Amino acid sequence: MNDLPFWKSKTLAEMTVAEWESLCDGCGLCCLNKIEEWDSGDIYFTSVSCKLLDGESCRCSSYENRWDFVPDCVQLTKENVPDIAWLPPTCGYRLVNEGRDLYWWHPLVSGDPETVHAAGISARGRTINENEIDIDDLEDYVVDWPLTVGAKKDEEEA
């Protein structure tokens, strides 16, 4: 009998729908607006969140119907995770795809959906809703913290 948790014993492709959905740690970082430079392909995170992101829970307020409100919302799939360069370095989907383990604060490890926020990994308290800004000013909100939130922990483990 295999006593390993599913994220250590299965590939993304082998996961059930429930297992797949539970890999989301609720950080909200993927729901931040990004700017892509067309010529270089470089991607920059902003502190501007999707209009559907609940700033407290860091979850989508209309997950099942999000495409009705945000037609260009990118759905993570078992097939496209390897190709999405902007997934935060702490993202459970990215970690499992890369053969790495989930962090201690991930709800699947800690058993508590609040640990992602307590560890300072999530977007909670760091964003402004896209409905509250002039979209022409988006580049004024470029930030690097979505790419560095797990850096201290990675350095400690090295």
Side-chain angles (χ1 to χ4, degrees), residues 87-91 94-95 98 100-105 119 121 145-158:
L87 285 176
T90 55
C91 175
R94 181 180 195 157
L95 293 170
E98 293 173 352
R100 298 172 60 205
D101 199 0
L102 302 177
Y103 289 97
W104 67 268
W105 45 258
I121 303 302
W145 55 261
L147 298 173
T148 61
V149 288
K152 184 176 179 186
K153 179 67 175 162
D154 284 343
E155 289 172 10
E156 292 170 1
E157 291 179 355

Side-chain angles (χ1 to χ4, degrees), residues 84-154:
I84 300 178
W86 51 257
L87 285 176
T90 55
C91 175
Y93 298 101
R94 181 180 195 157
L95 293 170
V96 170
N97 184 63
E98 293 173 352
R100 298 172 60 205
D101 199 0
L102 302 177
Y103 289 97
W104 67 268
W105 45 258
H106 193 289
L108 287 172
V109 177
S110 71
D112 183 355
E114 285 298 309
T115 53
V116 67
H117 308 297
I121 303 302
S122 78
R124 181 183 281 172
R126 300 179 181 191
T127 64
I128 185 169
N129 190 285
E130 66 186 358
N131 287 336
E132 299 175 29
I133 70 156
D134 181 336
I135 200 67
D136 291 334
D137 296 333
L138 188 60
E139 58 193 33
D140 294 341
Y141 295 89
V142 169
V143 293
D144 66 357
W145 55 261
L147 298 173
T148 61
V149 288
K152 184 176 179 186
K153 179 67 175 162
D154 284 343

Side-chain angles (χ1 to χ4, degrees), residues 30-135:
C30 63
C31 298
L32 299 177
N33 282 270
K34 296 153 214 57
I35 298 171
E36 180 176 2
E37 286 189 10
W38 292 106
D39 55 341
S40 68
D42 291 343
I43 298 172
Y44 300 93
F45 277 83
T46 73
S47 59
V48 178
S49 69
C50 170
K51 62 186 171 188
L52 297 179
L53 184 69
D54 177 309
E56 180 63 21
S57 70
C58 292
R59 297 283 186 168
C60 183
S61 63
S62 188
Y63 185 70
E64 295 299 321
N65 302 308
R66 62 194 181 275
W67 294 291
D68 294 341
F69 306 102
V70 183
D72 60 346
C73 178
V74 175
Q75 178 178 4
L76 296 183
T77 67
K78 298 169 183 182
E79 295 77 29
N80 71 7
V81 164
D83 301 321
I84 300 178
W86 51 257
L87 285 176
T90 55
C91 175
Y93 298 101
R94 181 180 195 157
L95 293 170
V96 170
N97 184 63
E98 293 173 352
R100 298 172 60 205
D101 199 0
L102 302 177
Y103 289 97
W104 67 268
W105 45 258
H106 193 289
L108 287 172
V109 177
S110 71
D112 183 355
E114 285 298 309
T115 53
V116 67
H117 308 297
I121 303 302
S122 78
R124 181 183 281 172
R126 300 179 181 191
T127 64
I128 185 169
N129 190 285
E130 66 186 358
N131 287 336
E132 299 175 29
I133 70 156
D134 181 336
I135 200 67

